[in-house]
Amino acid sequence: MCGIVGFIGMPVKGTLITDSLKKLEYRGYDSWGVAFLSKGRIESFRAVGSINKIPKKIQEISSNLAIGHTRWATHGRICKNNAHPHLSSGNDITLVHNGIIDNFSELKTRLSGNSFNSDTDSEVILKLIEEKMDSGSDLLHAVSFAVSLLKGSFALLVFSSIEPAKLIAVKNESPLLLGVSDKGIFAASDQIPLRNFTDRFVFLEDGDIALISKNSFECFDFSLNPVERKIIKVESNVTSSGKLKYSHFMLKEIMEQPFVLKDVLVQDKKNFSEISFLIKKSNLVFIANGTSFNACLFGKEFFSRIAGINPRVIEASEFPYELDFLPENSLIFALSQSGETADVLDSVRKARKKGFKIISMVNVFNSSLVRLSDKVIYLNCGEEIGVASTKAFTSQIALLFLLANSFAGKFDSALIELNSVSSLMQQAIDFNLDSVKALSAKIKSFGDVYFIGRNLNYAVALEAALKLKEISYIHAEAFQAGSLKHGPLALISKGIPVIVVAPKDKVFSDTINNAIEAKSRGAFIVGVSNESNEVFDFFIKLPKVNELLFPLVSIIPLQLLAFHTAVFLERNPDRPRNLAKSVTVK
Ligand code: M6R
């Protein structure tokens, strides 16, 4: 979703801001814009679409104060006027915003004497600041006044040509951090665009206003009482953040899963025992969205099969409706790659208010979820840039398996077993690399693709269907294999692909029977298994592995299937339409 960057420091080229903004592209956006202070005036540029043709005026500009924004439309259609930065009527204040202002209609009514250039909720913030400065306030006090009236989520960057030595950053329930470098001080939605400049970050808290100058910063609460925020040095991630030899980030992230698993498994045994101890005393509830939600389904199965407890799994956007019915000893276990997903954060904040403890499993260092948690397990799988989550998913499954085993006193043996899966994941790639691409060439022509599985493998089917639909835009749906004849079988017609996730386990023959039922109605059956069967029209061959860990190998060719299908259809798997990597609004 929206991404923001800002800079104040020594004069830099305009392309430094556009290049940084490009590093936020992965979050998803439909338009973009930048504003610079140049020769005492604000120069701005906005456009719909991708950041590709950088106008000459930006390439040539030299500026020591700038802000930029990638917009993922919420309030107001996708058009140049709704793109950020917004400019005050006197062209002397400019602002970018990520988030949603819940009371914007109310505020717009209050500001009815003003003329608005956009349909966005963001422009009301600018107008409030402008009004206050027009009545004699300085920029900091005007921002403090404006934000005290706002309800909702907002990360803001603001500067004014009237006070050219200041950049102001505000954070409330939307991500924002500062990066302190030799060139000057940056602000951004996440660390990725700042990695080339610094490893020293300031993680702003909700309710913070930062007053930034070229070589220092001060933080305040919304009433301008000083608050202390420290600079934290963050080591670079384990994997390279570039695409390396791959055409797309998603492909790179799929292919690196076998060796990333080794890094993921470098975990602190004591942390796992402490978390296991907390779980023992509690009613365990998993919450997450999307792929992380699918990973929770494995958590539930692992805990019930290995640890003998039966946790609940609740989609984070539904969690607030369940909150009042949860037992007092509930322990909320939140999974999130980004640690910035709005529904997860909202649920966690509400759960904390009720006095529940929070455990999280997160990839991004010191993200908002981490700061709301009592205990954290880091995925350590390196930056995940592709919108479709891949390596974070396998890392989550591996660590949930490790945690359930830690609970059962088997941390060490589980660690050994998991380490040995790395080479089996590589085999899953090697066996299927070319054949899955050929399968994608067939799948791409279908409007519907179905995935079936039982038990843990139903969760694999769910995740495989999510991958295919989100990047290829083909309708893909998962069913419990046994439920086919209770309705979904009516969808099957000649040639429709049904992908059957069926390892050789005790339910193998039941699942094969369901595949036969679908085939009898004309389906084209793709078997995903470590055992061939005559019902399979196409076989995705997998190595033998402990049945609880089969998902770690079976999901990989299905990720590749989704990837190649999208590429065949000329859809960019890294940036699927309408989607964002980090879903920072509810
Ligand atoms: O960062 P999170 O794990 O909290 O993200 C949750 C979902 O938004 C995310 O998994 C989404 O469903 C992905 N696009 C799936 O590939």
Side-chain angles (χ1 to χ4, degrees):
M1 302 213 147
C2 302
I4 59 187
V5 281
F7 173 74
I8 182 163
M10 59 171 63
V12 292
K13 277 260 155 55
T15 45
L16 180 134
I17 298 298
T18 50
D19 288 349
S20 305
L21 215 46
K22 268 181 94 58
K23 295 224 164 90
L24 289 174
E25 281 188 315
Y26 81 102
R27 298 169 71 90
Y29 72 112
D30 42 61
S31 50
W32 65 282
V34 282
F36 299 92
L37 185 72
S38 171
K39 299 183 184 133
R41 286 171 41 83
I42 296 177
E43 296 285 351
S44 71
F45 176 85
R46 299 181 291 177
V48 169
S50 307
I51 310 170
N52 38 33
K53 283 196 193 101
I54 310 293
K56 219 162 179 219
K57 103 172 176 193
I58 297 182
Q59 292 179 35
E60 286 170 357
I61 217 164
S62 164
S63 171
N64 67 341
L65 178 54
I67 55 178
H69 187 268
T70 49
R71 175 172 190 252
W72 189 90
T74 55
H75 292 64
R77 67 194 172 89
I78 301 164
C79 65
K80 195 168 152 182
N81 271 6
N82 288 339
H84 303 212
H86 294 290
L87 273 170
S88 61
S89 36
N91 210 32
D92 48 11
I93 313 166
T94 183
L95 164 145
V96 291
H97 166 220
N98 169 20
I100 291 184
I101 305 304
D102 296 334
N103 59 337
F104 98 102
S105 316
E106 221 173 291
L107 293 170
K108 208 163 178 174
T109 311
R110 169 191 171 135
L111 291 160
S112 58
N114 291 267
S115 71
F116 286 83
N117 294 315
S118 76
D119 308 317
T120 64
D121 52 344
S122 315
E123 202 183 356
V124 298
I125 315 171
L126 179 69
K127 292 289 173 198
L128 289 169
I129 297 170
E130 187 178 345
E131 201 173 74
K132 198 70 182 168
M133 284 188 82
D134 284 349
S135 66
S137 174
D138 68 2
L139 182 63
L140 180 64
H141 284 85
V143 170
S144 149
F145 162 78
V147 297
S148 69
L149 299 177
L150 304 180
K151 291 197 180 113
S153 56
F154 44 95
L156 308 174
L157 292 179
V158 192
F159 77 80
S160 166
S161 53
I162 304 166
E163 297 175 42
K166 294 175 190 167
L167 171 65
I168 295 189
V170 183
K171 171 173 163 44
N172 194 53
E173 296 188 9
S174 287
L176 191 61
L177 48 81
L178 310 184
V180 180
S181 81
D182 300 338
K183 282 186 196 307
I185 300 185
F186 290 86
S189 300
D190 63 44
Q191 298 167 38
I192 292 175
L194 309 188
R195 279 270 169 211
N196 285 347
F197 308 112
T198 187
D199 57 1
R200 290 177 297 145
F201 297 96
V202 179
F203 295 90
L204 299 177
E205 301 287 344
D206 288 338
D208 279 2
I209 299 180
L211 173 63
I212 314 163
S213 65
K214 68 178 181 188
N215 43 25
S216 66
F217 68 92
E218 289 170 271
C219 292
F220 306 93
D221 65 18
F222 284 0
S223 311
L224 297 183
N225 301 305
V227 290
E228 197 193 343
R229 299 288 173 248
K230 293 210 163 69
I231 299 175
I232 298 177
K233 193 165 159 43
V234 179
E235 295 304 328
S236 185
N237 266 313
V238 285
T239 53
S240 157
S241 56
K243 278 192 224 163
L244 304 179
K245 60 181 178 180
Y246 298 102
S247 58
H248 295 84
F249 282 108
M250 183 182 177
L251 184 58
K252 173 198 168 231
E253 288 157 7
I254 294 172
M255 300 298 273
E256 70 190 8
Q257 289 175 102
F259 63 85
V260 158
L261 182 65
K262 300 272 180 199
D263 298 315
V264 170
L265 293 174
V266 179
Q267 294 286 340
D268 175 8
K269 186 175 174 181
K270 187 160 160 267
N271 189 33
F272 273 62
S273 342
E274 286 167 2
I275 292 173
S276 301
F277 179 73
L278 284 176
I279 293 174
K280 270 192 186 109
K281 301 192 300 182
S282 321
N283 168 60
L284 181 60
V285 181
F286 286 109
I287 63 166
N289 295 109
T291 288
S292 295
F293 173 83
N294 291 339
C296 291
L297 301 174
F298 294 93
K300 178 179 168 64
E301 284 299 314
F302 294 154
F303 268 92
S304 67
R305 290 172 190 222
I306 300 166
I309 59 170
N310 198 2
R312 273 193 76 182
V313 179
I314 305 177
E315 226 270 344
S317 56
E318 294 289 313
F319 179 83
Y321 321 128
E322 301 288 327
L323 189 58
D324 286 343
F325 309 108
L326 293 176
E328 273 178 15
N329 65 336
S330 292
L331 175 69
I332 309 306
F333 198 125
L335 268 75
S336 175
Q337 187 285 131
S338 60
E340 299 295 350
T341 300
D343 283 316
V344 174
L345 296 180
D346 178 56
S347 296
V348 162
R349 287 188 187 107
K350 288 179 172 142
R352 276 174 71 99
K353 270 201 189 129
K354 273 211 98 161
F356 294 153
K357 283 218 169 345
I358 313 292
I359 311 287
S360 61
M361 191 177 271
V362 189
N363 196 32
V364 177
F365 178 78
N366 219 4
S367 50
S368 302
L369 180 56
V370 170
R371 285 175 282 147
L372 289 167
S373 301
D374 297 285
K375 291 239 160 240
V376 179
I377 295 174
Y378 275 111
L379 296 182
N380 291 337
C381 65
E383 283 166 6
E384 191 182 65
I385 304 290
V387 164
S389 189
T390 52
K391 61 177 177 170
F393 178 67
T394 43
S395 308
Q396 287 165 333
I397 295 178
L399 293 178
L400 287 165
F401 180 82
L402 188 60
L403 185 61
N405 276 285
S406 162
F407 184 98
K410 296 186 286 190
F411 180 94
D412 293 327
S413 57
L415 199 58
I416 294 169
E417 188 167 20
L418 280 164
N419 267 302
S420 70
V421 175
S422 164
S423 61
L424 302 175
M425 291 166 95
Q426 189 57 51
Q427 282 178 30
I429 295 176
D430 297 342
F431 288 171
N432 298 292
L433 200 53
D434 297 331
S435 59
V436 160
K437 193 168 176 183
L439 178 63
S440 300
K442 179 178 169 73
I443 295 277
K444 73 171 199 295
S445 330
F446 287 88
D448 307 282
V449 177
Y450 300 112
F451 293 79
I452 60 170
R454 283 172 183 265
N455 226 286
L456 276 181
N457 301 297
Y458 168 59
V460 175
L462 281 171
E463 174 59 10
L466 175 58
K467 285 294 85 89
L468 184 63
K469 77 178 85 158
E470 74 175 319
I471 59 170
S472 74
Y473 320 151
I474 290 175
H475 169 232
E477 217 177 325
F479 298 111
Q480 281 141 340
S483 76
L484 275 191
K485 48 182 148 332
H486 300 285
L489 217 44
L491 297 166
I492 305 299
S493 57
K494 193 159 171 32
I496 291 281
V498 174
I499 300 180
V500 184
V501 188
K504 182 77 174 121
D505 58 11
K506 50 185 181 304
V507 296
F508 180 68
S509 60
D510 288 341
T511 312
I512 293 298
N513 285 338
N514 303 130
I516 293 170
E517 287 155 13
K519 187 164 180 159
S520 316
R521 275 125 191 120
F524 174 79
I525 304 295
V526 177
V528 182
S529 183
N530 40 21
E531 176 90 2
S532 174
N533 190 279
E534 60 187 17
V535 71
F536 299 158
D537 296 303
F538 189 99
F539 181 33
I540 295 183
K541 182 182 163 200
L542 294 171
K544 296 223 172 342
V545 53
N546 167 351
E547 67 182 68
L548 291 184
L549 297 178
F550 182 75
L552 286 177
V553 298
S554 60
I555 194 60
I556 297 180
L558 297 174
Q559 294 166 341
L560 284 169
L561 179 73
F563 171 81
H564 289 302
T565 307
V567 172
F568 276 129
L569 291 168
E570 294 182 2
R571 285 151 194 179
N572 181 353
D574 283 347
R575 289 183 40 213
R577 69 181 179 200
N578 305 336
L579 299 182
K581 179 69 180 163
S582 218
V583 183
T584 53
V585 292
K586 282 199 283 170

